[in-house]
Amino acid sequence: MSTTEAAVRSDGRVILDVNVSADHVTSIGAMNGHEGDNGRVIPFVLVKNQSGQGSKPYNLENKTIDLVGTDSTGKLKVGGGYQPQSPAVGTFDFTMPAPFFQATGDYQNAYFRIKDGNDQVVSTINVKFTVVEGVGYLSSGDSQIYNQNIQTMIQDSENLVKTYTETNQKLVEGNQGELTTIRDLINNYLDELNKGHAATLAGNNQFTGNNHFGGTTTIDNLSGGAIDKLNRQFDDLSNSLTTAMSNKLPKFTDAWSRDYTWGPGLSKPNNGNDFALSRFLITNNLCVIFGRGDVLINKSDADYWESTLTIPWKVNSATTMIADWHTYKGYLKLYHDVSTSNTLSISCSGRYSNETVSLNIIMIGAPV
């Protein structure tokens, strides 16, 4: 990593750049202290250095800053006193607690950590400082792991117990006759703790009240009535979507069918690939009928003849019909009368007695 000495503004505030690269370390002489120091206050100003635009103040409103570091003995230190001065222009004072000056020597690594109002880290700035040997009788002894956040939690717990004790003490002093009752309450409370009724990380806990988790919550397994209800709701939604999609257009209204009748000169070859029909609804006013497969020609006494095809669905005179069969010569032409009917007329040409040919038909019109 590259290291540079921090610049100091004319008003004495140490300048920190939030845009400095992750492989850069800023050496801050004002953070150097003697072993045993406590309460050292350093004035800072945060800036945001933008290429070609110079430095601009970094807005610290709704943000907090703490210091994380590993001292020369490898002990972790977390905390510090953040006192904003003019957050909008990035000025703040930072107090170095005594635990940061327990071991002499350079800090192995250290960085300021900037968090937003949701306790999420938005930026870090690598810094470098050292602790020099102090006067012997001021030495604080061996360096210890220090986390101010945990210390704050412990202090809050101690204050809560103290307040609880003081409140109960006043009750005892006010009414001596209730002493036994208060003692029993305390004993019951301690008994509940001993029985593991307080929530623990490794224990089985049951929460019956309303609980709020502000950070990211990771759950490996979920079960219970709420999950069963969600599963049922998901199944209902899935079924509803399936039903809704099945009613959307376009869609098949009639699958492949061989429910039809040929007229003179034409019949089913019964070869497993007999001509078949299917109807496809495009819109409420338009459908397409497809037909394809094999047809047996058993007309040998004329080059031209008339025949018919009776299908499962009626078609009207506005229906467009296209037909084609694959033969050496000849043709097949569909046409219909003026009236609506399910029997179509066919003009055939060719002499192919007992010959199987492949036929394709397309009919486009309004569904009847």
Side-chain angles (χ1 to χ4, degrees), residues 164-183 186:
Y164 178 81
T165 304
E166 290 176 350
T167 301
N168 284 284
Q169 181 63 33
K170 291 179 180 178
L171 290 174
V172 172
E173 292 174 355
N175 189 346
Q176 188 65 31
E178 297 293 328
L179 178 61
T180 302
T181 301
I182 298 300
R183 184 183 294 112
I186 295 175

Side-chain angles (χ1 to χ4, degrees), residues 65-272:
I65 300 177
D66 62 359
L67 179 63
V68 180
T70 304
D71 68 11
S72 61
T73 65
K75 295 298 190 300
L76 176 67
K77 313 289 182 177
V78 180
Y82 167 66
Q83 298 101 28
Q85 299 301 315
S86 297
V89 295
T91 59
F92 68 97
D93 293 341
F94 193 84
T95 301
M96 302 281 290
F100 279 89
F101 297 104
Q102 287 182 325
T104 59
D106 293 338
Y107 262 69
Q108 297 179 18
N109 56 72
Y111 58 90
F112 280 111
R113 184 170 59 180
I114 304 172
K115 298 180 180 181
D116 62 15
N118 296 319
D119 202 36
Q120 299 295 313
V121 177
V122 297
S123 182
T124 57
I125 304 172
N126 295 322
V127 296
K128 179 181 180 180
F129 64 98
T130 190
V131 180
V132 299
E133 185 176 357
V135 181
Y137 64 86
L138 291 178
S139 175
S140 58
D142 293 338
S143 179
Q144 303 294 324
I145 294 175
Y146 170 74
N147 190 322
Q148 188 175 8
N149 297 327
I150 296 178
Q151 295 297 114
T152 301
M153 293 172 60
I154 293 173
Q155 184 62 50
D156 291 343
S157 299
E158 291 176 349
N159 292 338
L160 180 61
V161 173
K162 179 180 178 182
T163 301
Y164 178 81
T165 304
E166 290 176 350
T167 301
N168 284 284
Q169 181 63 33
K170 291 179 180 178
L171 290 174
V172 172
E173 292 174 355
N175 189 346
Q176 188 65 31
E178 297 293 328
L179 178 61
T180 302
T181 301
I182 298 300
R183 184 183 294 112
D184 290 341
L185 288 174
I186 295 175
N187 288 335
N188 290 337
Y189 177 73
L190 294 175
D191 185 55
E192 291 294 308
L193 291 176
N194 292 330
K195 289 179 179 178
H197 290 176
T200 59
L201 290 177
N204 298 321
N205 305 300
Q206 180 176 358
F207 301 93
T208 57
N210 297 323
N211 302 285
H212 172 76
F213 301 92
T216 301
T217 302
T218 301
I219 302 175
D220 293 331
N221 295 290
L222 283 173
S223 64
I227 296 302
D228 294 340
K229 182 178 180 181
L230 285 175
N231 288 334
R232 289 194 298 270
Q233 291 175 343
F234 179 81
D235 290 340
D236 292 342
L237 177 60
S238 178
N239 293 333
S240 298
L241 288 175
T242 300
T243 301
M245 291 303 294
S246 66
N247 294 326
K248 295 295 183 183
L249 297 176
K251 66 177 181 179
F252 276 105
T253 56
D254 300 278
W256 290 107
S257 170
R258 292 187 172 92
D259 182 18
Y260 59 85
T261 303
W262 289 114
L266 302 173
S267 62
K268 297 178 181 178
N270 297 319
N271 63 356

